[in-house]
């Protein structure tokens, strides 16, 4: 009779805990908030279409405050500002995450202000030339070289 009582008590404890979690989800949500972020995923051209991003790191260095560098994806073409000049570029992203940016065109102004604008621009165009793969994770887009090293980190500017 005792093993049955122990089993019954265990069942009540489990169901009582589930009922408490349903009434008060805060502890469960707090536990999930501390969980590690999702693993990187491989975007495809369709999933990026219409999205807008802001460069926050290039070659491991933060984009200086006041320097605008952006990337908008639309139907095989991307455009934005590279720190100083506006640009357009064709892109192709395959289902395995391999990516190519080609046929980059830009305006040709020199910008002395804000400080760092021309360095950011060179790094943006370098990232386009060297990107071999892209990944997304937690609202970030990573542009990686052939060895998997990050060339650029971008954050999402809009929700689709």
């Amino acid at each position: 009779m005792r093993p049955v009582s122990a089993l019954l008590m265990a069942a009540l404890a489990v169901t009582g805990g589930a009922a408490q979690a349903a009434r008060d989800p805060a502890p469960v949500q707090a536990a999930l908030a501390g969980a590690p972020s999702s693993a990187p995923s491989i975007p495809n051209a369709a999933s990026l279409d219409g999205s807008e991003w802001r460069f926050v790191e290039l070659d491991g260095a933060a984009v200086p405050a006041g320097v605008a560098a952006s990337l908008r994806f639309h139907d095989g073409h991307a455009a934005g500002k590279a720190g100083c000049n506006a640009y357009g570029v064709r892109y192709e992203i395959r289902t395995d995450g391999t990516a190519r940016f080609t046929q980059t065109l830009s305006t040709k102004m020199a910008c002395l202000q804000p400080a760092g604008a021309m360095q950011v621009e060179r790094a943006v165009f370098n990232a386009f030339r060297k990107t071999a793969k892209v990944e997304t994770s937690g609202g970030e887009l990573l542009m990686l070289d052939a060895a998997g090293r990050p060339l650029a980190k971008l954050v999402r500017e809009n929700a689709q």
Side-chain angles (χ1 to χ4, degrees), residues 44-53 73-74 156-160:
N44 59 40
S47 70
L48 291 175
D49 196 34
S51 64
E52 297 182 24
W53 302 81
F73 290 97
H74 180 69
R156 192 167 198 123
E157 289 288 291
N158 70 343
Q160 286 183 309

Side-chain angles (χ1 to χ4, degrees), residues 58-103:
L58 290 153
D59 294 327
V63 172
V67 177
S70 60
L71 176 63
R72 288 182 313 276
F73 290 97
H74 180 69
D75 196 27
H77 294 86
K81 188 166 181 181
C84 176
N85 288 287
Y87 70 87
V89 62
R90 288 185 178 269
Y91 69 91
E92 178 184 355
I93 301 171
R94 297 194 171 128
T95 57
D96 64 354
T98 56
R100 284 185 344 146
F101 292 88
T102 60
Q103 300 177 8

Side-chain angles (χ1 to χ4, degrees), residues 120-132:
V120 166
E121 182 156 308
R122 282 190 291 277
V124 166
F125 293 141
N126 183 54
F128 288 145
R129 278 190 302 280
K130 292 184 175 181
T131 293

Side-chain angles (χ1 to χ4, degrees), residues 3-25:
V4 173
S5 297
L7 184 59
L8 182 58
M9 291 300 285
L12 287 173
V14 169
T15 59
Q20 176 62 30
R23 285 191 307 271
D24 186 11

Side-chain angles (χ1 to χ4, degrees), residues 2 8 11-12 21 30 37 53-54 61 64 78 88 92 96 106 109 112 114 116 126-127 137 147:
R2 249 183 169 358
L8 182 58
L12 287 173
S37 64
W53 302 81
R54 178 174 46 89
E92 178 184 355
D96 64 354
S106 74
M109 297 183 304
L112 300 176
N126 183 54
S137 178

